[in-house]
Amino acid sequence: MQEPVVMKPIGVVHNSVKEPRREGWESLESTIVVEDRRASALDGLDAFSHIFVIYWMHRVSEEPRETTTHVHPRGDTRIPLQGVFATRSPVRPNPIGLRVVALLERRGNVLRVRGLDAIDGTPVLDLKPYLYHSDGVPDSTVADWIQDAAKDRSRPPSDERQRPES
Amino acid sequence: MQEPVVMKPIGVVHNSVKEPRREGWESLESTIVVEDRRASALDGLDAFSHIFVIYWMHRVSEEPRETTTHVHPRGDTRIPLQGVFATRSPVRPNPIGLRVVALLERRGNVLRVRGLDAIDGTPVLDLKPYLYHSDGVPDSTVADWIQDAAKDRSRPPSDERQRPES
């Protein structure tokens, strides 16, 4: 049993989405308000077109996180059950959200981004520059159920993002 | 001031690297030993060629994390100071490590991976399938100092990864 890890959020997400949802994040603009005292730690970030936002999916309660080992991706029972680590489901032991977003603007301690899949009020844990050199793996391959979903336009091949707690 | 976030590590890294270093991770093989009780949550992960490993850089002590706002990337004083969020420096408020790795094998609760930039004993917080559809952004652009470094073969364009605490 390893020691717990304690983190302090460094900022918070603001946008128009008040409840978890599965889709519709691509064109959404959000602001990330970083703590005032950490504003200068953003210096230079806006030299990158894209960044990773690492956040905490605070609406996922602890009980299902501890007991759920398998889920149907996107809640779609036509897709066989998968271990939670094989999915992007928020119901996982540590509901860490991870998303590459377009960085539109930085003003002081405030970032404006597009495509973040986090609801209003989400705590932000870290921000990192996106480096395609190491973060882009074009020859990577995915599970068949992702490819099958990609062929079906009614089920976009995006990852699960924040879904409603159920 | 937001509430602290508490996470329980889900596993631990084992490899031959006992001390933080800047480079030489690409071909390194590591195992990730996931807690026994969470083994089944890995079901289906090995259908993906690559995964994100999210880990905790436990060797970075708290004081420099709280007080350091700027660093020279890769400790190279020829590169102008950057805000820590504009770098992959481990010295950041929450030293979360993030790396795309090749998943070579899964046996029960043990994963064998290549390219993880974490030292032996590092706590693992989460594992996610890598989805190029959303995680690969080929038209992303980076800061000039990254591009300049890429031109100089003595300074590889990789991100900083775990560096020695100083």
Side-chain angles (χ1 to χ4, degrees):
Chain A
M1 195 70 178
Q2 298 175 84
E3 281 179 26
V5 166
V6 181
M7 302 191 198
K8 299 176 194 168
I10 55 129
V12 65
V13 174
H14 291 298
N15 61 31
S16 60
V17 180
K18 307 304 176 191
E19 293 298 325
R21 65 185 191 190
R22 286 181 199 279
E23 295 171 8
W25 304 99
E26 287 73 7
S27 61
L28 178 73
E29 287 193 14
S30 299
T31 56
I32 297 172
V33 179
V34 171
E35 288 181 295
D36 273 333
R37 68 192 177 106
R38 302 197 191 277
S40 72
L42 297 172
D43 292 347
L45 187 58
D46 52 359
F48 296 83
S49 68
H50 290 75
I51 62 173
F52 278 118
V53 180
I54 299 176
Y55 57 92
W56 183 246
M57 295 185 278
H58 62 301
R59 295 280 289 272
V60 185
S61 54
E62 191 158 349
E63 189 276 333
R65 293 201 264 133
E66 278 298 316
T67 57
T68 305
T69 58
H70 293 76
V71 294
H72 289 290
R74 286 184 289 279
D76 184 340
T77 54
R78 295 172 297 180
I79 306 175
L81 283 169
Q82 304 292 326
V84 293
F85 292 129
T87 77
R88 296 287 188 106
S89 169
V91 180
R92 56 201 311 116
N94 294 310
I96 298 171
L98 171 66
R99 186 69 186 163
V100 186
V101 302
L103 177 56
L104 305 176
E105 184 182 42
R106 176 236 170 160
R107 284 198 189 185
N109 68 323
V110 179
L111 304 178
R112 195 159 58 84
V113 302
R114 186 177 53 233
L116 182 60
D117 54 352
I119 66 171
D120 187 57
T122 297
V124 175
L125 301 174
D126 199 7
L127 302 164
K128 296 182 191 293
Y130 180 82
L131 307 176
Y132 186 75
H133 171 85
S134 53
D135 301 320
V137 187
D139 61 349
S140 57
T141 57
V142 298
D144 287 343
W145 61 264
I146 301 255
Q147 294 177 314
D148 294 345
K151 288 175 196 155
D152 177 354
R153 290 181 172 273
S154 69
R155 291 185 289 160
S158 55
D159 48 326
E160 184 145 349
R161 328 253 165 91
Q162 283 206 38
R163 70 173 196 183
E165 293 170 57
S166 57
Chain B
M1 195 70 176
Q2 298 175 83
E3 283 180 25
V5 166
V6 180
M7 302 191 199
K8 299 176 192 168
I10 56 127
V12 64
V13 174
H14 292 298
N15 60 32
S16 60
V17 180
K18 308 304 177 191
E19 294 298 325
R21 66 185 189 189
R22 285 180 200 279
E23 294 172 10
W25 303 99
E26 286 73 10
S27 62
L28 179 71
E29 287 192 14
S30 299
T31 55
I32 297 172
V33 179
V34 172
E35 288 181 296
D36 273 333
R37 67 190 177 108
R38 302 195 191 279
S40 71
L42 297 171
D43 292 346
L45 186 58
D46 53 357
F48 296 83
S49 68
H50 291 74
I51 63 173
F52 278 118
V53 179
I54 300 176
Y55 57 93
W56 183 247
M57 294 186 279
H58 62 301
R59 294 280 288 272
V60 186
S61 53
E62 191 159 347
E63 189 276 332
R65 293 201 263 133
E66 278 298 316
T67 57
T68 305
T69 58
H70 293 77
V71 295
H72 289 290
R74 288 185 288 279
D76 184 340
T77 55
R78 295 172 296 179
I79 306 175
L81 283 169
Q82 304 292 327
V84 293
F85 292 129
T87 78
R88 296 285 189 106
S89 170
V91 180
R92 55 203 310 118
N94 295 311
I96 297 171
L98 171 66
R99 186 68 187 164
V100 187
V101 302
L103 176 56
L104 305 176
E105 184 182 43
R106 176 238 170 158
R107 285 198 189 186
N109 67 323
V110 179
L111 304 178
R112 195 160 58 84
V113 302
R114 186 176 54 231
L116 182 60
D117 54 351
I119 66 171
D120 187 58
T122 297
V124 175
L125 301 175
D126 200 7
L127 302 164
K128 295 181 191 292
Y130 180 81
L131 308 175
Y132 186 75
H133 172 84
S134 52
D135 301 320
V137 187
D139 60 349
S140 56
T141 58
V142 299
D144 287 343
W145 62 263
I146 301 255
Q147 293 177 315
D148 294 345
K151 287 175 197 154
D152 177 354
R153 289 180 172 271
S154 69
R155 291 184 289 160
S158 56
D159 47 327
E160 183 144 350
R161 319 224 176 122
Q162 285 207 36
R163 69 173 198 184
E165 293 170 57
S166 56

